[in-house]
């Protein structure tokens, strides 16, 4: 009887291992079903529990957000939206102060535009965002009147502030950095627009890679509509743990065993294999006995995957919608195929996964929009107890989601209390900070949650 009870307990514990963080089968061992439902009104299913998507840095994100609001450097305070940027550029604002004798050599002009093949049909525009911008990566950064340290300081820029970007110019050389590259930027000051210069090492230029997004959309659309498409399904190892790769939990490509399927070079489990992650879109080439022969846009080659890991449930026959996440620039474009043409319906800042302890990078590649959840619960990294939730979630690989701003529960009299959804974090769109997931403003996550169509939609992650 004791052995039977221990077996039941082990089975209960096993189902709680999630994929929004590093592989560790014992991560959630102290989270039981009755604990999940311990609080009155908490009807979450155990499959809606993931490992912590916040980590210890969520408090830092919240503190930075409050500071940005106090200093009036949020997107709404500073950034000028793309339509106004285009209007401003049409007015031919001079590249230098006409009263100055010195002109500066323009090295590059930042003027990203939508490819002609994409039309704009924006349906979400809650935040001012432009196609080109400069991300400040330092505290109290000087923005000067001219690209020289001798010129007047117009203002101080804050850490993670996003500023509109005009051009790169050759200015004063700073010997310490062996560089003479400066950026001309502009920002809102009340009802006016102010211009200045910032030295290149004090941040990063960012842009929306619409051309690369369009290329990835067309590549996937052509692949799924000319072939039989399925996807890898092994969320929380439900279809069986993949075998160890030569005694290890990662293959030679760095792909991990957890929530993956083995992809063999022959339809034989004794041959060489690699891991292929849950949610990866695959083209099914043929079937032999217990295997499907597949290929994927995620990497080259043809492989044999045991049938139990390949799902045709709601598989994509016609690609109509896609979210393209740019891991390099920390932003995303949202597209819908209408009247034989891709339309950009929203573009927004986003935050992807960090390669750090308790965290993982958001993986590159082509993924199924597998399911939606109004929210999922996550665990604290240290205590392994339920810590909070992420709203309006779209799962695309393992325990990785596109979702809104995470919310930590407050503990009152020993019970978890929901403080209410949060809309905004100043750190969204800055540097990788999450646990493999893709953070959005909550209103944008809700927009995607309502818009996505399972069976017609994909999530693409580019660099």
């Amino acid at each position: 009887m004791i052995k039977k009870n221990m077996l039941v307990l082990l089975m209960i514990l096993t189902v709680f291992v999630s994929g929004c963080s590093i592989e560790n089968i014992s991560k959630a061992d102290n989270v039981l079903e009755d604990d999940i439902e311990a609080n009155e009104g908490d009807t979450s299913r155990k499959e809606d529990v993931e490992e912590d998507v916040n980590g210890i840095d969520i408090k830092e994100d919240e503190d930075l957000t409050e500071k940005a609001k106090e200093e009036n450097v949020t997107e709404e305070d500073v950034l000028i939206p793309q339509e106004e940027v285009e209007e401003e550029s049409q007015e031919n604002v001079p590249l230098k102060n006409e009263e100055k004798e010195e002109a500066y050599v323009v090295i590059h002009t930042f003027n990203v535009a939508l490819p002609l093949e994409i039309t704009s049909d924006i349906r979400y525009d809650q935040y001012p965002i432009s196609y080109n911008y400069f991300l400040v990566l330092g505290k109290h950064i000087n923005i000067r009147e001219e690209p020289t340290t001798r010129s007047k300081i117009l203002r101080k820029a804050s850490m993670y502030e996003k500023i509109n970007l005009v051009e790169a110019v050759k200015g004063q050389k700073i010997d310490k950095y062996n560089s003479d590259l400066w950026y001309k930027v502009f920002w809102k000051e009340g009802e006016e627009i102010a211009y200045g210069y910032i030295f290149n090492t004090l941040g990063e230029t960012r842009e929306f890679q619409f051309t690369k997004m369009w290329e990835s959309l067309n590549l996937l659309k052509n692949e799924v509509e000319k072939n039989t498409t399925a996807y890898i399904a092994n969320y929380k190892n439900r279809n069986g743990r993949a075998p160890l790769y030569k005694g290890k939990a990662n293959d030679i490509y760095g792909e991990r065993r957890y929530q993956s399927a083995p992809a063999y070079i022959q339809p034989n489990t004794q041959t060489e294999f690699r891991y292929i992650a849950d949610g990866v879109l695959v083209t099914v080439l043929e079937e032999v006995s217990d295997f499907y022969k597949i290929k994927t846009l995620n990497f080259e080659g043809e492989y044999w995957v045991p049938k139990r890991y390949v799902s045709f449930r709601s598989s994509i026959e016609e690609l109509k919608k896609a979210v393209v996440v740019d891991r390099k620039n920390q932003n995303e474009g949202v597209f819908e195929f209408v009247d034989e043409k891709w339309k950009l319906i929203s573009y927004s800042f986003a935050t992807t996964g960090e390669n750090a302890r308790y965290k993982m990078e958001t993986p590159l590649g082509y993924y199924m929009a597998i399911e939606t959840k109004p929210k999922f619960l996550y665990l604290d990294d240290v205590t392994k107890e339920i810590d909070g939730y992420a709203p309006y979630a779209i799962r695309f690989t393992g325990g990785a989601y596109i979702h809104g701003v995470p919310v930590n529960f407050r503990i009152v009299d020993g019970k978890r209390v929901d403080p209410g959804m949060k809309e905004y974090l100043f750190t969204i769109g800055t540097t990788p900070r999450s646990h493999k997931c893709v953070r959005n403003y909550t209103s944008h996550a809700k927009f995607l949650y309502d818009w996505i169509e399972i069976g017609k939609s994909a999530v693409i992650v580019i660099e």
Side-chain angles (χ1 to χ4, degrees), residues 122-133:
I122 302 301
R123 304 175 199 171
Y124 172 94
D125 60 356
Q126 183 157 330
Y127 294 89
I129 297 174
S130 62
Y131 295 168
N132 295 100
Y133 50 99

Side-chain angles (χ1 to χ4, degrees), residues 343-354:
K343 289 188 175 183
L344 176 70
I345 65 167
S346 79
Y347 58 102
S348 179
F349 299 128
T351 296
T352 63
E354 180 184 7

